[in-house]
Amino acid sequence: MASASFEFDDGGDGERAFLAGSYLSYLVPHATYFNPEVALLPSGSNRKAKFEGVQQRDSLFFDETVDIYLVLRTPRVDEKVLRSYLGRLAVHLEAQVVNAHTTGRDSPPSSETVYRGTVEDPGSAIVLSEELEQINLDGQNEKEETYMHAVWKLSVFLPRPRMRLQAPTVVFSASAGLEQLSIRNSNGPESGYMQSGAPAGLNLLEAFAHDPMLGGIKPQLSAVRVSRVAPVSQSKDPPQLVKAMKSLRLKIYPIVHARVRFARPNATPPSPALIAILEVDFTPFFEYEAMLEKIAASVTDGIVDDLNTQDGMDLPLSCVAHDHLAFLYKLSPKQLDIVSKNPTRDLDITIEVKILVRPEEPDICTPTLKMSWTTSLDFTLPVNPGFGQPMTQPIQRSHRPSQLSISGGVDTQSLISPSITRPDALPSLEAATARPTETNLPDFGITMTFTGPTEPIYAGEEFVWTIFVVNRSRPEQSGNNNNPTKPPPHLSGARKLALHAIPRRRRNDLRVVRPPSSGGGTKRDPLIADAVMDENVVHAMQRSSAIDDTEIICLSADVRIGPLAPDACAVAELRFVALREGVVGVEAVRIVDLATQEHVDVRELPVVVVQSR
């Protein structure tokens, strides 16, 4: 059995042999406490097979610090020679978060780079010697090749990108290059002195050397000083790249959302203290147990009092998906006299969560998520805390239906902007669940049920929605005959309704209040109004307009129902044609009472999933 070995030297042949026989790969092991020296001990198989058999993570989480192991496999040489090459290596790692491709759009999916790192000291890598590897070639020849492995570890923090996430994945890509040896000469141009024997530049003022007006002075002006010479940068030879794995793509999910809100206690006398409400939401994108390990809040020159003293709120807390937790803290400044001068403070919040993917032996996998951010506080004393309380109830209208939505929860929402009442960055949990799943029309007196087709829907083919309508209105029972007031038409008898499908609107279709045009100069007559169609505004709207394809077309332009007596029911149909694949739909279905011209928009509609043949 013949033995093949590689001999590297410090010359070009040794570098070429090192580059030709080396290969860079990288992996994310499943075990949290992964030790390559222990896990890759060859037992019954070579170390290469051990590397390939390491169990790896199939998904990652945002706000996680994950360990990436870079493995360089090279033919077996003396360890000193190998470390001399490793010291000249430049190993880089990059991580990008890439969204999934959206059907119906030709543009590439959006991506954002969240990490760029370099191995600080590549010469201090963990070097593992390889045992013999047998290679059979068609049963004729059999030889043995020996390899060595150099292992580096990089800890990569995966922050949340600024872009909108849509089925994101994280892509790791690494590269390694062998830098050239730099041979420096003490008399060379890098030493700062002129080289010996180098020709001097031409003297442009040599013709004035014998001028009697200069009194024997020979002026000197080198042509190098006045001629335009392009700066020559000392370009280094590009490093010779090592063959490497193309990329490593893994799914990534957000596990925890956190936000903080502030409220001022209504106390007498008024106090600058604030109540911080820290809300922690667990998403449905995981199926493991999560341990809320730590919550730390600190205020610069302030005091933080923990108000979570009740039973069951002691950390660590065991949590699962869809859990929603709220923690209360009282924030107050240390010295009141400093508050009057500078009432602004910084609040630092840190949250640590441990995900128990595999909490038992062997190969324990418990990723740790860490969220840290800073927000500003204002400890300014309220001038008149009891005056001007915000109105929390909307305007009530008797015998009038809600024209804004069919949901009963909308009628009890505040008229104040959410950006003022809830000044936080993440969407609230109540906003996601405010709309009920059951659609009812209590004010309108109509109950409707929409049913979609059970068979698959294909692009370009017609499909039907079946609408079941029940008239729940009652004729008004009045025992006082002296009251000449006539009840509303929809409470006195039969109903006549019309159904219209409203297509989805683009966001830029909404008209906004525009400022006056500045194209007419600074001085203008106050008696002259602004132009109805300003060319500057028209140009800006055309530049910012977006072209969006039509998703679905309604073939039922006008559907009439009725007369429909009280407690009577009817069935109607709306026919559509989908023009593209994917999840499509309409904005709403408007129900119009033909007697009173009142209408309600139904937005809880069946989900339409269009497939391709």
Side-chain angles (χ1 to χ4, degrees):
M1 187 179 298
S3 175
S5 61
F6 292 85
E7 296 293 337
F8 293 168
D9 53 18
D10 293 336
D13 296 337
E15 294 180 2
R16 286 190 290 270
F18 175 76
L19 295 172
S22 300
Y23 181 77
L24 179 66
S25 60
Y26 34 97
L27 54 92
V28 182
H30 189 270
T32 301
Y33 309 102
F34 180 76
N35 188 355
E37 295 181 349
V38 177
L40 302 178
L41 288 177
S43 57
S45 60
N46 53 24
R47 203 179 300 275
K48 178 183 177 182
K50 281 285 186 179
F51 271 109
E52 295 177 352
V54 172
Q55 184 179 3
Q56 301 188 33
R57 295 274 300 274
D58 55 356
S59 62
L60 301 177
F61 309 124
F62 283 112
D63 306 312
E64 175 188 0
T65 300
V66 61
D67 293 334
I68 309 295
Y69 287 85
L70 307 172
V71 182
L72 179 68
R73 190 188 69 179
T74 181
R76 185 180 183 87
V77 293
D78 185 68
E79 186 172 349
K80 294 183 179 179
V81 178
L82 176 61
R83 289 197 178 274
S84 66
Y85 286 121
L86 295 180
R88 294 165 50 191
L89 278 179
V91 184
H92 305 278
L93 178 66
E94 182 178 282
Q96 284 188 340
V97 176
V98 183
N99 280 337
H101 182 72
T102 305
T103 58
R105 295 185 180 272
D106 298 333
S107 59
S110 57
S111 62
E112 183 176 335
T113 301
V114 295
Y115 177 82
R116 280 195 181 96
T118 306
V119 177
E120 297 296 336
D121 188 8
S124 62
I126 301 175
V127 177
L128 304 176
S129 299
E130 177 61 276
E131 298 295 335
L132 298 180
E133 178 184 357
Q134 297 183 1
I135 300 178
N136 297 327
L137 300 176
D138 300 332
Q140 299 178 0
N141 298 328
E142 190 173 287
K143 62 180 182 180
E144 298 175 356
E145 294 183 358
T146 57
Y147 287 92
M148 301 181 70
H149 292 82
V151 183
W152 299 277
K153 184 180 79 169
L154 281 179
S155 297
V156 179
F157 179 71
L158 301 176
R160 301 174 187 243
R162 297 179 180 272
M163 65 181 183
R164 185 185 297 272
L165 298 178
Q166 184 177 1
T169 57
V170 58
V171 180
F172 297 98
S173 57
S175 62
L178 184 64
E179 297 180 350
Q180 301 294 330
L181 288 173
S182 59
I183 303 176
R184 295 173 177 257
N185 188 1
S186 59
N187 294 328
E190 297 181 358
S191 61
Y193 298 95
M194 296 181 62
Q195 295 183 1
S196 178
L202 178 65
N203 185 13
L204 300 180
L205 302 179
E206 186 177 1
F208 300 95
H210 304 285
D211 192 346
M213 299 296 294
L214 297 179
I217 299 176
K218 296 182 179 180
Q220 295 283 338
L221 179 60
S222 177
V224 179
R225 293 182 176 272
V226 297
S227 59
R228 184 176 181 181
V229 180
V232 179
S233 60
Q234 298 179 0
S235 60
K236 298 180 180 180
D237 295 334
Q240 303 180 22
L241 297 179
V242 179
K243 291 182 293 184
M245 190 164 86
K246 184 178 180 181
S247 62
L248 179 62
R249 183 183 294 265
L250 298 173
K251 285 287 186 180
I252 186 169
Y253 301 99
I255 297 298
V256 182
H257 291 325
R259 62 177 182 147
V260 60
R261 297 185 289 124
F262 303 99
R264 190 177 300 276
N266 190 8
T268 303
S271 172
L274 296 174
I275 301 298
I277 307 172
L278 178 62
E279 298 183 3
V280 180
D281 298 333
F282 288 86
T283 65
F285 301 116
F286 69 105
E287 54 185 8
Y288 314 105
E289 183 183 3
M291 299 297 297
L292 185 57
E293 298 282 341
K294 174 185 175 183
I295 296 180
S298 61
V299 179
T300 305
D301 295 333
I303 302 174
V304 179
D305 295 332
D306 191 357
L307 303 181
N308 309 288
T309 57
Q310 61 270 26
D311 297 337
M313 297 298 292
D314 297 333
L315 300 181
L317 281 176
S318 177
C319 307
V320 294
H322 299 282
D323 279 357
H324 176 73
L325 305 176
F327 300 88
L328 301 180
Y329 299 91
K330 181 180 179 182
L331 313 177
S332 57
K334 287 184 178 180
Q335 300 179 4
L336 296 179
D337 54 349
I338 303 179
V339 174
S340 59
K341 300 178 182 179
N342 184 17
T344 305
R345 298 290 189 274
D346 290 335
L347 173 62
D348 299 326
I349 302 175
T350 301
I351 301 176
E352 291 186 6
V353 179
K354 181 180 291 186
I355 309 299
L356 304 182
V357 178
R358 182 186 293 174
E360 68 277 355
E361 296 282 352
D363 298 336
I364 296 177
C365 182
T366 55
T368 301
L369 314 183
K370 185 175 181 180
M371 304 173 62
S372 299
W373 75 94
T374 302
T375 183
S376 59
L377 300 175
D378 190 0
F379 287 115
T380 304
L381 287 171
V383 179
N384 193 353
F387 179 76
Q389 293 295 331
M391 182 178 59
T392 59
Q393 295 295 331
I395 300 175
Q396 300 292 335
R397 299 179 300 167
S398 58
H399 302 292
R400 289 293 180 179
S402 174
Q403 298 286 340
L404 300 178
S405 174
I406 62 172
S407 175
V410 178
D411 296 338
T412 59
Q413 291 181 358
S414 173
L415 297 178
I416 305 174
S417 173
S419 61
I420 300 176
T421 58
R422 308 175 75 104
D424 32 87
L426 296 176
S428 63
L429 184 65
E430 295 84 355
T433 59
R435 180 175 295 173
T437 57
E438 182 181 0
T439 302
N440 56 355
L441 307 175
D443 295 338
F444 204 62
I446 292 294
T447 300
M448 309 189 72
T449 302
F450 289 80
T451 305
T454 57
E455 62 274 3
I457 302 175
Y458 300 100
E461 296 185 2
E462 181 181 342
F463 65 94
V464 180
W465 281 357
T466 303
I467 307 172
F468 183 74
V469 185
V470 179
N471 185 6
R472 298 293 186 183
S473 60
R474 293 283 192 278
E476 186 173 357
Q477 304 275 342
S478 179
N480 187 9
N481 298 328
N482 298 326
N483 187 7
T485 304
K486 184 179 180 181
H490 67 271
L491 296 179
S492 59
R495 305 287 297 276
K496 292 184 179 180
L497 306 175
L499 304 182
H500 302 280
I502 303 176
R504 287 182 177 175
R505 305 182 181 92
R506 296 196 308 265
R507 292 184 178 180
N508 58 349
D509 286 342
L510 301 177
R511 302 296 298 271
V512 297
V513 179
R514 59 178 180 87
S517 174
S518 59
T522 57
K523 186 177 180 180
R524 52 190 299 270
D525 192 351
L527 299 178
I528 300 177
D530 291 337
V532 178
M533 293 298 294
D534 196 333
E535 58 182 4
N536 296 332
V537 178
V538 174
H539 177 72
M541 292 176 62
Q542 292 177 352
R543 290 291 301 271
S544 62
S545 62
I547 300 176
D548 196 4
D549 298 335
T550 303
E551 298 178 349
I552 188 172
I553 296 178
C554 181
L555 302 180
S556 304
D558 190 5
V559 177
R560 301 296 178 95
I561 300 176
L564 195 62
D567 294 333
C569 60
V571 177
E573 291 184 350
L574 287 178
R575 299 183 177 273
F576 301 91
V577 172
L579 300 184
R580 68 175 183 88
E581 304 172 5
V583 180
V584 300
V586 296
E587 183 74 18
V589 173
R590 176 164 295 179
I591 304 118
V592 182
D593 192 328
L594 298 179
T596 62
Q597 296 301 318
E598 295 176 351
H599 69 274
V600 172
D601 293 340
V602 180
R603 302 182 184 274
E604 296 293 339
L605 301 173
V607 178
V608 180
V609 180
V610 182
Q611 304 178 5
S612 60
R613 288 193 176 274

